[in-house]
Amino acid sequence: VMRRNPFGMDICCRKGSRSPLQELYNPTQVSLSNTAILHQVRRDQVTDTCRANSVSSKKRRVLTPNDLKHLVVDEDHEMIYCYVPKVACTNWKRVMMVLTGRGKYSDPMEIPANEAHVSSNLKTLNQYSIPEINHRLKNYMKFLFVREPFERLVSAYRNKFTQKYNTSFHKRYGTKIVRRQRKNATQEALRKGDDVKFEEFVAYLIDPHTQREEPFNEHWQTVYSLCHPCHIHYDLIGKYETLEEDSNYILQLAGVGNYLKFPTYAKSTRTTDEMTTEFFQNISSEHQTQLYEVYKLDFLMFNYSVPSYLKLE
C-alpha cells in the first residue's frame, strides 16, 4: 500500500528503507550521530542503575501482558513508545495517531486531547501474541520520555486534585485520601474529596497501606514500574527538559522528520521547578525522605540529581 499524505510525501510502509533502529545505531547523517552519543550515555545510565540495584539479575520476573499496556506500537515505522502520564504523553499519543493513522490524520494538534486517550485509537503491545511481542521488542525502536520525578508528581497533583472538573479522581482517590489522612474531616470533604492538600497526597503515597492496597495510579506511578526499563531495553530516552529536540530526533530517525514536527506550545500553567520547590516547603523532612525512597530509582536511572530544596534525613 502506498498512501499519499497531505504534505505530498509518502508516509507509509517504509519497507526497503532503513528502519529507525538501523538509523539510530548506524546513522547515515552526521547530525544524527552526535545526538546518538547523548542517547548512548542515557542508555548506559539505565543499564548501570539496573545492575547496581540488581533489579535485573536476582529477581528477574517475567513480564506479563498487563505490564505492556503502556507500550504503543507503530507497525509502519517499526517503533514502540512507552507513554508516561504528565510527560507530554497527550502530544506523543497524537503524533502516534498521525504515524499509525495511515493518512487519516495529518496535524497532531487537530486531534482533540480526549481522543488521544481513547485506547482503541492506538494499538498496545499487550494485544499481540507472545511470539509477536518478542519479535517487536527485538526489532522495533523503543523509546520513552521522562521528567524530573517530583516535578512530574506536582504536575499530577495539580492536574488531578486542584481542577474542579476532575470529579472522577476526587471520588476515587480524593475521598480515600481525606478519609485516611485528615483528622476531623467534614462530611462534605469525605463525600466530595475535592480539596486534597499536597501534604495529604504525599502522606497517602508513602503510607505502606497504599502500596499494599493497589498499584499506584499511572499519573503518579514510577516510570520504572510503568515502562520496565530494567526488563525492556529502550533505545531512546527522551527528556521533558529537551522535549522538542528529542522528539524531533525520533521523528527524523523514523524518516518522517521532513513533514512531521513535534507540536510545541508553551503552556503558561506548566509545572516548573520553582513551583515544585514551593509545594515541598510544607512537607516534613521525614516525609520527604520517605517519598524520595519511593521515586529513588527514577531519579537514579534517568540521571536527575536530588533536588536542592529537599531536606533529607
Side-chain angles (χ1 to χ4, degrees):
V1 218
M2 220 13 163
R3 289 174 316 272
R4 312 290 301 180
N5 80 340
F7 300 87
M9 304 272 299
D10 296 317
I11 194 163
C12 169
C13 313
R14 341 176 33 269
K15 300 299 162 245
S17 60
R18 289 158 59 83
S19 75
L21 208 53
Q22 292 168 321
E23 198 53 68
L24 171 67
Y25 291 108
N26 299 297
T28 46
Q29 299 171 40
V30 178
S31 60
L32 293 182
S33 55
N34 296 339
T35 317
I37 297 162
L38 164 74
H39 287 279
Q40 179 65 54
V41 171
R42 290 180 186 174
R43 280 195 298 276
D44 292 346
Q45 178 78 19
V46 171
T47 309
D48 294 347
T49 308
C50 293
R51 202 175 288 134
N53 293 275
S54 64
V55 184
S56 44
S57 54
K58 277 212 281 288
K59 47 174 192 287
R60 170 134 198 169
R61 69 183 190 81
V62 176
L63 293 178
T64 65
N66 195 42
D67 291 320
L68 305 174
K69 59 179 189 283
H70 272 249
L71 280 78
V72 175
V73 182
D74 171 2
E75 293 289 349
D76 290 345
H77 304 91
E78 302 189 350
M79 299 197 299
I80 295 175
Y81 160 57
C82 183
Y83 69 90
V84 178
K86 307 313 300 172
V87 193
C89 88
T90 306
N91 277 353
W92 255 110
K93 283 180 174 179
R94 284 169 163 147
V95 168
M96 293 301 274
M97 281 171 71
V98 172
L99 290 173
T100 59
R102 309 217 152 184
K104 196 170 155 192
Y105 312 95
S106 60
D107 178 2
M109 293 318 283
E110 279 174 6
I111 301 170
N114 57 344
E115 206 180 310
H117 296 294
V118 174
S119 54
S120 59
N121 281 334
L122 290 165
K123 197 160 185 193
T124 47
L125 198 56
N126 59 340
Q127 295 168 1
Y128 292 84
S129 70
I130 305 279
E132 288 172 334
I133 289 171
N134 288 333
H135 170 78
R136 280 156 185 75
L137 284 175
K138 190 172 162 211
N139 297 295
Y140 286 15
M141 184 175 83
K142 299 165 295 300
F143 67 95
L144 77 163
F145 276 77
V146 298
R147 182 179 186 177
E148 202 281 337
F150 285 170
E151 197 178 287
R152 176 175 165 243
L153 191 65
V154 168
S155 177
Y157 166 77
R158 289 178 64 219
N159 179 244
K160 299 303 171 195
F161 294 108
T162 69
Q163 304 290 341
K164 289 293 172 222
Y165 60 80
N166 267 321
T167 46
S168 60
F169 264 82
H170 303 157
K171 282 265 186 290
R172 169 130 198 235
Y173 296 101
T175 52
K176 192 188 291 181
I177 294 170
V178 170
R179 189 174 68 243
R180 217 183 278 169
Q181 307 300 339
R182 189 179 302 176
K183 291 183 177 64
N184 313 321
T186 64
Q187 283 307 307
E188 189 185 22
L190 288 165
R191 194 180 78 251
K192 285 187 167 173
D194 63 353
D195 65 344
V196 171
K197 296 183 180 69
F198 186 64
E199 297 84 76
E200 295 169 330
F201 178 51
V202 169
Y204 161 78
L205 293 175
I206 59 180
D207 184 344
H209 188 86
T210 306
Q211 307 262 0
R212 282 196 302 272
E213 187 178 60
E214 58 176 349
F216 275 5
N217 176 278
E218 60 175 21
H219 289 84
W220 47 84
Q221 179 60 281
T222 60
V223 176
Y224 164 71
S225 304
L226 287 176
C227 294
H228 314 286
C230 289
H231 297 83
I232 294 172
H233 171 83
Y234 286 93
D235 303 290
L236 281 167
I237 295 143
K239 293 202 162 189
Y240 193 70
E241 295 76 15
T242 49
L243 178 62
E244 211 173 324
E245 302 92 295
D246 292 345
S247 299
N248 288 324
Y249 174 58
I250 290 166
L251 295 174
Q252 260 185 294
L253 292 170
V256 298
N258 291 341
Y259 52 85
L260 183 57
K261 291 278 176 274
F262 191 77
T264 55
Y265 56 99
K267 272 171 81 175
S268 54
T269 55
R270 198 178 85 82
T271 302
T272 60
D273 185 43
E274 292 75 37
M275 222 178 266
T276 307
T277 305
E278 239 163 89
F279 273 90
F280 273 85
Q281 297 284 289
N282 302 326
I283 308 294
S284 70
S285 58
E286 183 193 358
H287 279 188
Q288 286 186 4
T289 305
Q290 289 171 286
L291 191 68
Y292 179 75
E293 281 305 313
V294 173
Y295 292 93
K296 185 177 176 180
L297 273 176
D298 279 5
F299 274 101
L300 297 173
M301 202 167 274
F302 306 117
N303 206 17
Y304 288 107
S305 49
V306 178
S308 55
Y309 56 77
L310 283 195
K311 310 178 283 286
L312 297 183
E313 295 196 327

